[in-house]
Every structure is written in C-alpha cells, then in structure tokens.
C-alpha cells in the first residue's frame, strides 16, 4: 500500500465552488501563502459546483482555482477524488493524483490502520451507476459542448446550481453511516458527499464524513493519526 496519510494532511470536501461560494478559493490562497501549512491535501469531491474538462464554459469560469491548484501541486501532494459534480478532470490537473468514480474507493494507511477513501456516492444502486456512466461519457459531453451555442446550456445549468440549497442535516445519519461501512473492508472509512462532518465508531471500524467546506466552514486535519475538524475562519 503506497499511499500514506501524513501528519498535517488536510481533507477538504464539498466546497461546491462558484461565484457565491468562494471558500475553496480562499482556503487554497491560505495554503499558497503558508497561512495553512501542509504537504498533503485530499480533495474529497464536489470541489466545484460543476466542472468537467469537456465544458469550455465551466473550465474558463473556474480558471483561477484550476491554475492555483496546479501551482500548489508542484510542491504539495494533492489527491483528488472526483465527485458527482466534478469529473473527467485528469486532463486539467497533470500533477494531481485524480481518481475517477470507477477507481474509488482508494486505499491508504493512517498510522497502522487501513483506510478506504471515496467521495461517498458509491454503493447506491444500479440505476445511479448507469446515470453516472452516462453523464461522464466523453463523447456525449463533447457533443453537448459543440451545440452549446452562446453557452445557452451551460448558463442554464449554472443558474440552476446557484440557487440550489445544498446544506441540510440528514436525520439519523449515524444509521446511514453504519450501513455504509459494511461496503468496506478497511478499518477506517473516509467519505465526503453527505455534508455532515460526523464521525462514528462501529465495533472495529471508524466512519469519518469530512465536513462540507461551504456548509460548515470546516475542513479536516490529521494530528497524531487522528482526523479532526477545524474551522476555516
């Protein structure tokens, strides 16, 4: 197992970056200026409200964040787990270790413990798996980009995302987390996606949901092999 989670590694999830939710850009700037010090970053998916490499509109719209991530990746190990709002990204981030949904979960070590990491939208059902394959199809996305005259389609998507309320408390999330750990063999399961920022211990397995940066204004950091949430501001 080659991936080791390092001391002071930080985990950032579900920032859903857009012109209204700018926390992701702000935290990257703090890392770049060494206000936040780390040599390893885990991006747990849905970092952008939407982006794929085939969409010229969204690539241009998010160009400042893309460029800053590529600058940081020259000196910091960045692991990016694609989510359901950000995919087909490998072309955009040549020095970042990008993992598609199909490649997740990935495995790592935290001290002596085995870890599984994924965005969190795995193990749903067959219909959702089919939907994920369709929306990530590069030929389809290239075609949609070709007919997106004047960005009519991408602007419509962008406007819908801007008004979407993404911050909710999930009732009985502990029960959902307990069901989810059954899909993993590792001792620690780390996911994003759910925006809850909770941790639970089920027998010999620990479930960690990384908080949504935009909802709770928190990210997670490793200290002495313990992952804790910390306020961004």
């Amino acid at each position: 197992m080659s991936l080791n989670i390092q001391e002071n590694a930080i985990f950032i999830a579900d920032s859903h970056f857009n012109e209204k939710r700018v926390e992701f850009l702000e935290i990257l700037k703090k890392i770049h200026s060494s206000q936040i010090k780390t040599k390893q970053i885990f991006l747990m998916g849905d970092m952008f409200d939407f982006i794929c490499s085939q969409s010229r509109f969204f690539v241009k719209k998010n160009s400042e964040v893309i460029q800053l991530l590529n600058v940081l990746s020259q000196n910091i190990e960045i692991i990016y787990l694609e989510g359901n709002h950000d995919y087909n990204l490998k072309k955009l981030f040549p020095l970042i270790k990008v993992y598609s949904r199909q490649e997740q979960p990935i495995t790592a070590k935290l001290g002596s413990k085995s870890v599984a990491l994924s965005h969190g939208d795995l193990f749903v059902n067959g219909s959702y798996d089919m939907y994920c394959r369709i929306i990530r199809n590069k030929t389809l996305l290239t075609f949609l980009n070709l007919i997106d005259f004047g960005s009519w389609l991408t602007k419509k998507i962008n406007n819908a995302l801007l008004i979407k309320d993404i911050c909710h408390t999930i009732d009985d999330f502990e029960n959902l987390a307990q069901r989810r750990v059954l899909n993993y063999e590792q001792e620690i399961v780390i996911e994003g996606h759910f925006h809850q920022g909770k941790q639970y211990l089920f027998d010999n397995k620990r479930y960690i949901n990384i908080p949504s940066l935009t909802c709770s204004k928190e990210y997670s950091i490793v200290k002495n092999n313990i992952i804790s949430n910390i306020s961004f501001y």
Side-chain angles (χ1 to χ4, degrees), residues 206-222:
R206 179 169 295 279
Y207 178 86
I208 300 173
N209 182 240
I210 303 300
S212 163
L213 182 67
T214 192
C215 293
S216 61
K217 307 300 186 280
E218 291 179 312
Y219 62 99
S220 301
I221 189 167
V222 177

Side-chain angles (χ1 to χ4, degrees), residues 23-186:
E23 293 87 357
F24 190 37
L25 178 59
E26 292 176 354
I27 197 171
L28 293 179
K29 287 180 176 178
K30 287 189 174 186
I31 295 169
H32 186 246
S33 67
S34 296
Q35 293 180 63
I36 297 174
K37 298 181 186 297
T38 186
K39 297 302 292 182
Q40 190 180 51
I41 302 171
F42 289 86
L43 303 177
M44 298 299 294
D46 288 0
M47 309 314 301
F48 300 85
D49 217 12
F50 180 74
I51 195 171
C52 69
S53 60
Q54 288 80 14
S55 174
R56 291 191 296 265
F57 175 86
F58 283 104
V59 170
K60 181 178 180 180
K61 179 175 181 286
N62 293 292
S63 60
E64 185 177 6
V65 174
I66 293 169
Q67 291 170 12
L68 187 49
L69 279 170
N70 282 325
V71 169
L72 291 173
S73 69
Q74 295 175 27
N75 298 297
I76 297 173
E77 181 182 30
I78 302 179
I79 297 93
Y80 196 136
L81 306 182
E82 293 183 344
N84 48 301
H85 285 249
D86 44 359
Y87 43 83
N88 298 354
L89 300 180
K90 294 183 181 181
K91 181 180 177 181
L92 299 178
F93 301 115
L95 297 181
I96 293 176
K97 298 174 182 176
V98 178
Y99 294 91
S100 67
R101 183 177 186 269
Q102 295 94 318
E103 296 171 301
Q104 299 175 36
I106 65 170
T107 57
K109 276 280 192 181
L110 179 60
S112 62
K113 295 190 178 295
S114 59
V115 180
L117 302 104
S118 77
H119 169 61
D121 66 335
L122 301 177
F123 314 117
V124 181
N125 55 52
S127 297
Y128 183 73
D129 289 341
M130 182 177 294
Y131 163 76
C132 288
R133 287 194 295 270
I134 292 171
I135 64 170
R136 287 164 173 78
N137 183 275
K138 294 179 181 179
T139 302
L140 173 62
L141 291 167
T142 300
F143 171 74
L144 292 175
N145 193 60
L146 288 173
I147 65 170
D148 190 24
F149 304 110
S151 301
W152 68 271
L153 177 59
T154 43
K155 287 179 179 177
K156 186 174 182 179
I157 293 170
N158 185 58
N159 291 336
L161 290 170
L162 285 173
I163 62 174
K164 185 177 180 180
D165 181 8
I166 64 169
C167 300
H168 305 281
T169 298
I170 298 176
D171 293 333
D172 199 16
F173 182 65
E174 183 175 358
N175 185 49
L176 173 60
Q178 188 169 21
R179 296 198 307 270
R180 290 198 60 75
V181 298
L182 299 176
N183 297 295
Y184 298 92
E185 298 178 355
Q186 289 76 11

